[in-house]
Amino acid sequence: MGRFVARRLLQMIPVFFGTTLLIFMMVHALPGDPVAALWGEKAPDPAQLAARKHALGLDKPMLQQYFDYMGGMLTGDFGKTLAGRPVLDVITEALPVTIRLALFAFAIEIVLGVSVGLFAGLRRGKAFDKGALVVTLLLISIPVPVLGFIFQTVFADDLKWVTPTVQDSNDITQLVLPAFVLGSLSLAYVARLTRTSIAENIKADYVRTAVAKGLPRRKVITTHLLRNSLIPVVTFLGTDLGALMGGAIVTEGIFNVKGVGNALFKAINLKEGSTVAGFVAFLVIVYLVAGLIVDLLYAVLDPRIRYA
Amino acid sequence: MRGVSQAKWVVAAVAVALAATACSSSGSSDSSGGSSDSGAVNAAGVFSYQSGEPQNPLQPANANETIGGRIIKNLFTGLVDYDPATGALRNQVADKIETTDAKNYTVTLKSGWTFHDGTPVTAASFVKAWNWSANVKNNQINSSWFSDIVGYDAVHPEKGDPTGTEMSGLKIVDDTHFTIELTSPVSYFTYKLGYSAFSPLPEGFFKDPAGYGEKPVGNGPYQFVSWEHNKAITVKAYDKYAGSNKPKNGGIVFRNYATGEAAYKDLMSDTLDVLDQVDSTDLPKFKDDLGKRAVDQPQGAIQNISFALYNADWSSLDKDKAAKIRQGISMAIDRDTITKTVLNGNRQAADAFVAPGVMGYKAGTCGDACKFDPAKAKQLITENGGVPGGKLSIMYNSDGSHKEWVDAVCNSIRQSTGVECIGDPKPDFKTVRDLVTKQQVPSMMRTGWQQDYPLNANFLRDVYGTGASSNDSHYSSPEFDKLAKEADAATSVEKTAELYQQAEAVLAKDMPSIPLWYYKTSSGYSNKVQNVKFDSFGDPVFTDVEVKK
């Protein structure tokens, strides 16, 4: 197990450098001169344009910029935005907000998704199951902006429980609405995955054995049925955590949450390579770590899975 | 046993999630309670304004975009500013600005003005600030604003390091007097002085310009409180403000919004007080939604499409014939219908190259060329040999919601004259600017102009003068340049404005670009504020906003 973890961690290094280099190259390939755009409709002053570019290191060849950037990153220097702010500041402002939002959405997803899936799977074909299928289908088919709009209209405009957008992104209680919208799609998938898995495994030999042993129903379900049925769900959840963090652009826009999606979108628009690469570096790490945890969780859920 | 501890963890997570959900529904219910409708005003009341993250540190000569620009305008007051209702020039820190030849100016300051750190505003506060801002080493985006002053080339040479740190054209006489010498007469230099690049800076600024860019100390009606990046910038009323526009409220929170839709939602629930601009999604319904609280007002800004005159097909044609063809294209555009339908009445059809409300605007300068006349359009184009290359395209940036009207304009041209016309979208503003500066525009391009100061010279000289920094079509007319020069040398602003009208007539004849329509401010405010008026820059008159009790 220790060797497995070590090998996985080593594998992360080339993946990390590969992805960040790719992103760096892609941002570089975007058309237009970001520094010249600061002058708006006016023609930039060539001397000042050159000076600004030099200060930001944008006058160097692309690969050199990348290596400088990576070198800086190791010492905690993520470069500067076009406006001259340290990129690290931008990241440390936005990242906690999105982590909070994503984890919140993730919690909603797990708790609601797994429990709905479990009950639906146990009562397959009954009213609850059919209801769950309809509701999850609805959630899957409604686009996020529409869902966000419905939520704003119902909970803010009509019921007046909350303000339409998030006033303080650091206040976790205000994140309920966006978190639910963000997690809704995955919630539906989790519920459906769990349901199918449960419905399949309920006929499995080990469940029959457990029932035959005279174990109480609760015990059969939690330690035998659910634990084994969660493997596909955990796989999905692992990749989903990364998706939630990176994919919050739409939700963050609707609810004006000042998170990664928001900052990343702006940085891409401004062609701020260093900001984009910085965020992506973090997101890559989140993905990789989430992947590792998923693999490790397999062993916890099913001891038959062994690591070489 | 691991399984059991896992289950416990899940139960704990459920509890946390449920608790959080419960909290939110009760916690924020009281924040959106009904607002009182009494007209009583709370002079210390603070209101919020839809804003975004400034592109640059908050230094007066470094803000050329609206977000940072309007915050600077509230934190700093220059020698003069413009009356928000009329656009007329009025003195603020200046007691008087005198000149006899439009080249040498003597500035007398009022006493009693102080910076927010308590230090007095003196002649040196201006002269030092301008010298610093003009210096190429300090890399201020608006440094070219000082190029009229003698000695600018010493602090801001085209190449290499500056040879000095002071412009010889600026001389401090005493604490309340200084003189300005310009390289050539510019009768409306006082108008330029209202631009925020000419703001004074306190002594402390020069020791730590970067730090002051994060925490600006100005002399304006509002005093800086905090800048939470990507969230909000907060300012409060400065109680020792000496200007004529004393704030009628306690302060402003410039709140950062990622999308216009989100801001509109907040406005509707009185969570946000004043909107910047209604986004295009909500434009068709905002007047119904807001009723009396809706704002619909002209702005000092114009939308044009300009010809890439440097292309061989235009430059090789006979000058008069080419101009006639361009007039024909202009006549083929049904401005009234497009502004009403495609643009939801949010624009006003243009009849001149200068926006209304600007000093020197003369209605109808564009003449027949800006009137929709398909028959005449077709005739002009065919009689003069047709559009060069046989087809037109309009380049625009697709990140700025221009597609709809560009397509409509092209449709209009095609239907009226049969000339092939297509929209030529580029992904974003940067890409478009890149092609424009490199002179690689194939046919026509979208151009726009928002006033820097409300005088027609700004719409003409800076856009159509030979070699002007915003002359995107590379139009060059000796006749226009001569008239512009004469206008600049006039002894009064009134005379300047009049002479510039003659220069504008040259444009109508040559048609280097086609005026389409003027921008309008479409905005609104919440139930919690009153007396919200907008100026021709499209900014609310922040100091006049009253917060209800």
Side-chain angles (χ1 to χ4, degrees):
Chain A
M1 180 102 165
R3 274 187 62 192
F4 172 78
V5 174
R7 212 171 63 200
R8 283 295 300 266
L9 286 174
L10 281 175
Q11 277 172 4
M12 283 183 183
I13 296 169
V15 175
F16 178 78
F17 283 103
T19 40
T20 45
L21 177 63
L22 259 176
I23 287 296
F24 216 81
M25 279 159 65
M26 282 188 218
V27 176
H28 201 82
L30 288 174
D33 183 339
V35 185
L38 290 177
W39 272 265
E41 308 249 338
K42 289 186 175 136
D45 182 328
Q48 281 181 261
L49 187 67
R52 274 188 192 239
K53 278 192 176 173
H54 183 73
L56 292 163
L58 293 175
D59 51 349
K60 292 183 195 154
M62 202 276 297
L63 271 179
Q64 167 125 42
Q65 282 183 41
Y66 175 74
F67 286 121
D68 285 355
Y69 187 74
M70 279 301 159
M73 204 184 257
L74 294 177
T75 59
D77 174 16
F78 283 68
K80 285 194 167 163
T81 65
L82 293 179
R85 284 191 72 210
V87 171
L88 196 61
D89 284 7
V90 179
I91 293 175
T92 47
E93 265 161 34
L95 206 63
V97 171
T98 298
I99 289 179
R100 229 170 279 149
L101 180 64
L103 285 181
F104 203 164
F106 200 60
I108 293 175
E109 197 179 310
I110 295 176
V111 173
L112 272 178
V114 171
S115 37
V116 167
L118 175 64
F119 288 120
L122 289 175
R123 294 167 176 71
R124 199 172 171 192
K126 305 268 173 56
F128 182 85
D129 182 35
K130 283 179 181 152
L133 283 177
V134 170
V135 171
T136 50
L137 183 69
L138 265 176
L139 284 179
I140 291 171
S141 50
I142 298 178
V144 171
V146 177
L147 195 66
F149 181 76
I150 294 173
F151 272 43
Q152 280 179 332
T153 312
V154 172
F155 294 107
D157 298 349
D158 296 344
L159 295 172
K160 300 215 183 294
W161 286 355
V162 290
T163 50
T165 70
V166 172
Q167 300 302 307
D168 178 4
S169 303
N170 290 316
D171 181 354
I172 194 146
T173 59
Q174 296 197 8
L175 293 180
V176 182
L177 225 49
F180 196 84
V181 171
L182 180 62
S184 64
L185 182 65
S186 307
L187 169 84
Y189 283 128
V190 169
R192 289 186 153 225
L193 264 176
T194 315
R195 172 191 173 272
T196 315
S197 193
I198 293 271
E200 241 166 52
N201 287 339
I202 205 161
K203 295 184 208 119
D205 292 345
Y206 63 83
V207 176
R208 208 171 349 131
T209 312
V211 175
K213 269 201 296 195
L215 283 180
R217 186 175 155 79
R218 169 180 290 271
K219 184 106 181 159
V220 174
I221 290 171
T222 49
T223 53
H224 294 268
L225 180 57
L226 187 59
R227 196 168 144 181
N228 280 288
S229 305
L230 278 182
I231 291 177
V233 179
V234 165
T235 316
F236 174 79
L237 286 173
T239 46
D240 196 48
L241 183 59
L244 284 180
M245 300 236 2
I249 294 186
V250 179
T251 316
E252 287 185 1
I254 298 170
F255 291 99
N256 201 36
V257 178
K258 301 293 170 201
V260 169
N262 220 317
L264 202 52
F265 180 72
K266 232 166 62 185
I268 292 172
N269 251 336
L270 290 173
K271 208 188 160 188
E272 274 180 1
S274 45
T275 315
V276 178
F279 274 115
V280 171
F282 273 107
L283 290 181
V284 167
I285 292 173
V286 170
Y287 257 107
L288 290 173
V289 171
L292 180 62
I293 292 173
V294 167
D295 286 353
L296 294 179
L297 270 182
Y298 283 164
V300 177
L301 290 171
D302 187 348
R304 285 172 303 175
I305 301 174
R306 288 275 170 251
Y307 299 103
Chain B
M1 277 302 104
R2 257 193 209 133
V4 176
S5 55
Q6 289 280 317
K8 265 182 192 161
W9 187 84
V10 169
V11 170
V14 179
V16 170
L18 287 179
T21 324
C23 271
S24 90
S25 50
S26 59
S28 36
S29 59
D30 49 0
S31 65
S32 51
S35 60
S36 72
D37 281 315
S38 72
V41 173
N42 173 13
V46 173
F47 70 98
S48 54
Y49 184 73
Q50 176 201 351
S51 189
E53 179 75 358
Q55 251 176 26
N56 290 300
L58 292 172
Q59 299 159 337
N62 218 359
N64 70 334
E65 34 86 51
T66 47
I67 293 169
R70 71 165 82 88
I71 292 164
I72 293 282
K73 270 194 202 172
N74 283 303
L75 294 174
F76 290 87
T77 301
L79 295 169
V80 292
D81 70 357
Y82 316 104
D83 187 305
T86 61
L89 205 63
R90 62 180 185 193
N91 286 337
Q92 288 290 6
V93 185
D95 188 30
K96 51 186 188 254
I97 303 173
E98 294 160 308
T99 182
T100 50
D101 55 0
K103 202 167 173 255
N104 290 285
Y105 290 82
T106 308
V107 180
T108 310
L109 303 183
K110 284 177 197 148
S111 47
W113 278 78
T114 49
F115 286 106
H116 303 147
D117 59 4
T119 55
V121 180
T122 64
S125 318
F126 284 95
V127 172
K128 274 185 97 170
W130 297 2
N131 279 328
W132 186 88
S133 303
N135 196 316
V136 66
K137 286 212 152 161
N138 298 322
N139 222 331
Q140 301 286 293
I141 284 192
N142 289 326
S143 53
S144 63
W145 278 83
F146 303 97
S147 59
D148 292 324
I149 301 170
V150 169
Y152 176 74
D153 45 357
V155 296
H156 199 120
E158 264 177 44
K159 271 197 186 115
D161 286 337
T163 53
T165 54
E166 282 173 15
M167 291 183 276
S168 53
L170 296 177
K171 288 198 181 71
I172 302 171
V173 180
D174 56 39
D175 266 1
T176 53
H177 290 85
F178 69 99
T179 60
I180 310 165
E181 191 193 339
L182 307 182
T183 46
S184 58
V186 181
S187 60
Y188 51 92
F189 188 67
T190 44
Y191 258 88
K192 290 194 178 187
L193 289 175
Y195 193 68
S196 47
F198 290 98
S199 301
L201 289 168
E203 200 54 42
F205 175 88
F206 305 101
K207 291 187 201 105
D208 179 20
Y212 268 64
E214 285 284 311
K215 280 184 180 177
V217 173
N219 65 328
Y222 294 96
Q223 178 176 0
F224 176 84
V225 175
S226 68
W227 182 355
E228 298 163 86
H229 284 282
N230 292 311
K231 285 188 198 101
I233 291 178
T234 309
V235 300
K236 64 171 186 196
Y238 177 50
D239 49 9
K240 292 193 197 74
Y241 182 62
S244 57
N245 51 335
K246 263 194 177 310
K248 292 177 182 163
N249 50 60
I252 315 162
V253 180
F254 293 92
R255 211 184 282 162
N256 192 320
Y257 279 94
T259 65
E261 286 92 340
Y264 190 79
K265 274 267 163 206
D266 270 4
L267 182 80
M268 293 297 291
S269 70
D270 288 338
T271 315
L272 173 75
D273 293 323
V274 185
L275 201 66
D276 182 21
Q277 271 281 359
V278 177
D279 60 280
S280 51
T281 330
D282 296 309
L283 213 44
K285 63 183 172 84
F286 88 103
K287 280 185 194 162
D288 291 334
D289 281 351
L290 295 170
K292 275 186 186 160
R293 293 182 287 122
V295 175
D296 178 34
Q297 198 182 293
Q299 234 184 60
I302 188 169
Q303 178 85 264
N304 303 316
I305 41 179
S306 300
F307 296 91
L309 296 175
Y310 43 80
N311 284 344
D313 49 6
W314 282 117
S315 53
S316 62
L317 275 183
D318 175 70
K319 212 171 146 258
D320 286 333
K321 280 191 171 177
K324 287 262 158 51
I325 297 171
R326 292 196 290 266
Q327 285 177 354
I329 298 170
S330 174
M331 280 185 189
I333 301 165
D334 187 356
R335 294 170 177 76
D336 285 325
T337 309
I338 297 174
T339 48
K340 265 185 213 116
T341 56
V342 181
L343 295 164
N344 294 305
N346 181 233
R347 302 279 192 279
Q348 180 190 333
D351 60 353
F353 292 82
V354 175
V358 168
M359 182 164 178
Y361 160 77
K362 192 173 158 196
T365 330
C366 184
D368 286 341
C370 285
K371 287 183 192 130
F372 180 51
D373 188 346
K376 187 85 191 294
K378 199 168 184 175
Q379 189 199 339
L380 273 175
I381 293 172
T382 44
E383 263 178 13
N384 292 289
V387 169
K391 59 175 196 257
L392 298 167
S393 64
I394 304 174
M395 187 177 87
Y396 64 95
N397 49 319
S398 39
D399 61 348
S401 68
H402 299 301
K403 186 188 181 338
E404 286 75 15
W405 70 254
V406 169
D407 288 347
V409 165
C410 264
N411 255 328
S412 194
I413 294 175
R414 210 179 305 128
Q415 278 170 14
S416 333
T417 65
V419 172
E420 192 48 47
C421 175
I422 48 162
D424 177 13
K426 299 286 175 235
D428 54 16
F429 185 66
K430 292 187 300 287
T431 318
V432 164
R433 288 314 301 171
D434 222 30
L435 292 166
V436 169
T437 37
K438 285 182 184 149
Q439 302 192 28
Q440 287 172 352
V441 179
S443 173
M444 298 197 280
M445 66 201 118
R446 174 203 87 84
T447 49
W449 187 257
Q450 191 185 17
Q451 67 185 25
D452 295 315
Y453 44 92
L455 182 69
N456 61 352
N458 184 232
F459 283 80
L460 301 169
R461 168 75 198 254
D462 298 327
V463 186
Y464 301 105
T466 302
S469 66
S470 301
N471 189 341
D472 291 338
S473 40
H474 289 261
Y475 170 69
S476 174
S477 155
E479 201 186 349
F480 178 89
D481 289 344
K482 189 175 140 272
L483 287 165
K485 205 172 172 194
E486 277 172 29
D488 286 355
T491 44
S492 72
V493 180
E494 289 74 19
K495 186 78 187 151
T496 304
E498 201 187 309
L499 284 168
Y500 263 114
Q501 286 173 357
Q502 294 179 19
E504 194 182 355
V506 178
L507 295 180
K509 203 171 63 147
D510 287 351
M511 232 43 199
S513 79
I514 298 175
L516 291 177
W517 36 75
Y518 308 118
Y519 282 84
K520 281 205 231 168
T521 303
S522 303
S523 184
Y525 49 92
S526 75
N527 285 308
K528 291 181 183 164
V529 290
Q530 62 187 24
N531 198 30
V532 182
K533 293 168 291 193
F534 280 72
D535 62 17
S536 62
F537 291 91
D539 291 332
V541 186
F542 289 101
T543 46
D544 277 357
V545 174
E546 293 171 340
V547 181
K548 291 187 202 168
K549 260 187 185 147

